[in-house]
Amino acid sequence: MGRIPPATVKRLCFYLHLLERLKKEGKEYVSSKELAERLDLTDTQVRRDLVYFGKMGKRGMGYEIEKLIKELRKILKIEKPRRAILIGAGNLGTALLASPFFRKRVEIVAAFDADINKVGRRIHGVPVYSDCEISRVVREMGIKIAILTTPPDVAPDIAGILINAGIQGILNFTPASIKSPPGVFIHDVDLTMELEYLSFFVEEE
Amino acid sequence: MGRIPPATVKRLCFYLHLLERLKKEGKEYVSSKELAERLDLTDTQVRRDLVYFGKMGKRGMGYEIEKLIKELRKILKIEKPRRAILIGAGNLGTALLASPFFRKRVEIVAAFDADINKVGRRIHGVPVYSDCEISRVVREMGIKIAILTTPPDVAPDIAGILINAGIQGILNFTPASIKSPPGVFIHDVDLTMELEYLSFFVEEE
DNA sequence: ATAAAATAGTGATTTTTTTCACAAGGTCAA
DNA sequence: TTGACCTTGTGAAAAAAATCACTATTTTAT
């Protein structure tokens, strides 16, 4: 499998979620045309994206939903929910822990917080450790993915600890920018930025 | 100002946030080279993005940070924080209301929830109304932007109400897909999807 | 005042991504 | 079995985005 454009990877996630909905609705096959319509893409683009990973469709029929879901989960490396840790059990962190959708798709094995009142407790079933235990837990459990929801001022330091301990992917919800050394992938999600992006397309009052 | 590529709009948000950090650090000018390095882009790309909106730099000097921030805020239509409503005062909704960063950048004038125990109260200073008042409030206040953090099963119905009442942009945090009629811009943010995207780039354990 | 260094802006080019157009299979009803 | 109908997969073309290479300014050090 050659180099996959990031835009395609993003779309794979969309396909996967839509396919899971379609499966729940009891459908067995779906065409690139229908996928495209529901996701505001073109059918050619859907087929191009999918053909990166081999010929997965049946001419005349479309794509077998069950099979394609399996395939996409394999490609995205989420056949089993991936194990991850959460750093920062504040409002957003707690909201993620509380979300059944989120919890269904990722196995959060531990949370960390600087607040000693939270340490030792469980939040929505997830044990909370002290920040100083991050390194040990990451190493002992071989965790590769961290979700960062700390205050922004401590984020770079925490990121340093994470990377040092062997974390390879950070989902960064803080507005702080994290420098990524080679081999570590940082994916920034800035919720205010999403709003500002939207704002551009909406007339002023 | 011609048609701006969405990818450029996305990057404008990045520029703006970085510039605000640089301003806080006391800098007055910044070069396309430095912006590029800090955001993992090329300097040419930064200049191309900015030149869509006129010649904003000074040769030999770079870009005047203060001026460029003003300009970007104008372009993104956020000279004043935009007014928006929040639908669904659950975990994520409450986390957004609690975030000082988020609150600084958008004026959330009202929240709505189906739970009558929440209605009439205030959450982090924002009054909570019943879902059935959405239409009235949107019209009376001329709100254009809504943030959707309801359970996914009610999301399409709520979206219908919003669009009917004249909302023009929806920031959709639910995994439900909302069909956008012409003139209404839907921006989906699916936090689980962000994690799955990251997963693709991180080796399995 | 001058030369060297820095930096924005841009035409031309290259690369990447998307779309078009259609052949090659496959389905399905009669 | 036949023929009409779908739908995938794909070479070629088009469009979009990014980069290169260079020019035009401006600053700064001497």
Side-chain angles (χ1 to χ4, degrees), chain B residues 71-85:
Chain B
E71 203 53 49
L72 288 176
R73 295 179 73 82
K74 195 187 296 176
I75 292 163
L76 294 169
K77 305 185 192 130
I78 49 174
E79 286 169 283
K80 286 170 202 152
R82 293 201 71 160
R83 293 184 309 146
I85 55 171

Side-chain angles (χ1 to χ4, degrees), chain A residues 9-164:
Chain A
V9 179
K10 200 79 191 235
R11 284 194 296 268
L12 294 184
C13 299
F14 280 95
Y15 301 147
L16 177 57
H17 284 219
L18 176 51
L19 288 166
E20 287 177 347
R21 261 212 311 290
L22 293 172
K23 183 186 166 189
K24 230 180 262 167
E25 289 167 16
K27 283 193 74 155
E28 274 192 62
Y29 279 86
V30 65
S31 68
S32 55
K33 183 154 166 284
E34 182 173 355
L35 286 173
E37 268 164 20
R38 310 253 316 225
L39 295 170
D40 247 315
L41 306 167
T42 64
D43 53 344
T44 311
Q45 190 170 40
V46 172
R47 293 198 297 277
R48 272 264 191 272
D49 281 341
L50 295 179
V51 113
Y52 274 111
F53 309 98
K55 300 178 185 178
M56 302 208 274
K58 259 197 200 138
R59 294 177 195 230
M61 282 291 276
Y63 297 86
E64 194 187 329
I65 290 175
E66 182 94 36
K67 183 179 142 201
L68 188 50
I69 288 175
K70 277 220 181 81
E71 203 55 48
L72 288 175
R73 296 180 72 84
K74 194 188 294 178
I75 292 162
L76 294 169
K77 305 186 193 130
I78 48 173
E79 286 169 283
K80 286 169 203 153
R82 293 201 72 160
R83 292 184 308 147
I85 55 172
L86 176 82
I87 324 288
N91 285 294
L92 179 57
T94 303
L96 293 179
L97 292 178
S99 161
F101 299 95
F102 199 77
R103 294 296 293 279
K104 208 177 295 164
R105 302 188 87 92
V106 55
E107 186 191 341
I108 302 181
V109 297
F112 297 85
D113 204 286
D115 180 352
I116 52 162
N117 294 309
K118 288 178 184 163
V119 172
R121 288 181 37 213
R122 277 172 180 266
I123 300 182
H124 298 288
V126 176
V128 182
Y129 298 90
S130 157
D131 273 358
C132 24
E133 296 181 89
I134 291 174
S135 200
R136 181 178 62 74
V137 174
V138 169
R139 279 181 224 273
E140 280 180 11
M141 304 193 73
I143 303 295
K144 294 272 187 294
I145 294 179
I147 302 163
L148 197 57
T149 54
T150 62
D153 50 315
V154 300
D157 284 347
I158 298 275
I161 293 169
L162 288 168
I163 291 166
N164 231 279

Side-chain angles (χ1 to χ4, degrees), chain B residues 36-87:
Chain B
E37 269 164 19
R38 310 251 318 221
L39 295 170
D40 246 314
L41 306 167
T42 65
D43 53 343
T44 310
Q45 189 170 40
V46 172
R47 293 198 296 277
R48 273 265 192 269
D49 280 341
L50 295 179
V51 113
Y52 273 112
F53 310 98
K55 300 178 187 182
M56 302 207 273
K58 258 195 200 140
R59 295 179 196 229
M61 281 292 276
Y63 297 88
E64 194 186 329
I65 290 174
E66 183 95 37
K67 184 179 141 203
L68 188 50
I69 287 175
K70 277 219 183 80
E71 203 53 49
L72 288 176
R73 295 179 73 82
K74 195 187 296 176
I75 292 163
L76 294 169
K77 305 185 192 130
I78 49 174
E79 286 169 283
K80 286 170 202 152
R82 293 201 71 160
R83 293 184 309 146
I85 55 171
L86 176 82
I87 325 289

Side-chain angles (χ1 to χ4, degrees), chain B:
Chain B
M1 159 172 115
R3 185 198 145 276
I4 310 302
T8 292
V9 179
K10 200 77 192 238
R11 284 195 295 267
L12 294 184
C13 299
F14 280 95
Y15 300 147
L16 177 56
H17 283 220
L18 176 52
L19 288 165
E20 287 177 347
R21 260 211 312 289
L22 292 172
K23 184 185 166 191
K24 231 179 263 167
E25 289 167 15
K27 283 193 74 154
E28 275 193 61
Y29 280 87
V30 66
S31 67
S32 55
K33 185 156 166 282
E34 181 173 354
L35 286 174
E37 269 164 19
R38 310 251 318 221
L39 295 170
D40 246 314
L41 306 167
T42 65
D43 53 343
T44 310
Q45 189 170 40
V46 172
R47 293 198 296 277
R48 273 265 192 269
D49 280 341
L50 295 179
V51 113
Y52 273 112
F53 310 98
K55 300 178 187 182
M56 302 207 273
K58 258 195 200 140
R59 295 179 196 229
M61 281 292 276
Y63 297 88
E64 194 186 329
I65 290 174
E66 183 95 37
K67 184 179 141 203
L68 188 50
I69 287 175
K70 277 219 183 80
E71 203 53 49
L72 288 176
R73 295 179 73 82
K74 195 187 296 176
I75 292 163
L76 294 169
K77 305 185 192 130
I78 49 174
E79 286 169 283
K80 286 170 202 152
R82 293 201 71 160
R83 293 184 309 146
I85 55 171
L86 176 82
I87 325 289
N91 285 293
L92 180 58
T94 304
L96 293 178
L97 293 177
S99 161
F101 298 94
F102 199 77
R103 293 296 292 281
K104 208 177 295 165
R105 304 188 86 92
V106 56
E107 185 190 342
I108 302 181
V109 298
F112 298 85
D113 203 286
D115 179 353
I116 53 164
N117 294 310
K118 290 178 183 162
V119 171
R121 288 180 37 213
R122 277 173 179 266
I123 298 183
H124 297 287
V126 175
V128 182
Y129 298 90
S130 157
D131 273 357
C132 25
E133 296 181 88
I134 291 174
S135 200
R136 182 180 60 74
V137 174
V138 168
R139 278 181 226 274
E140 280 180 13
M141 306 193 71
I143 304 294
K144 293 273 187 294
I145 294 180
I147 302 163
L148 197 57
T149 54
T150 61
D153 50 314
V154 301
D157 284 348
I158 298 277
I161 294 168
L162 289 168
I163 291 166
N164 231 280
I167 285 285
Q168 288 178 13
I170 296 178
L171 187 59
N172 175 31
F173 282 102
T174 79
S177 89
I178 314 268
K179 259 289 158 214
S180 67
V184 179
F185 192 88
I186 314 279
H187 183 47
D188 294 305
V189 180
D190 185 324
L191 301 183
T192 62
M193 227 180 261
E194 305 295 344
L195 200 115
E196 290 167 358
Y197 174 80
L198 174 66
S199 169
F200 176 83
F201 298 96
V202 177
E203 289 172 22
E204 270 169 304
E205 301 109 58

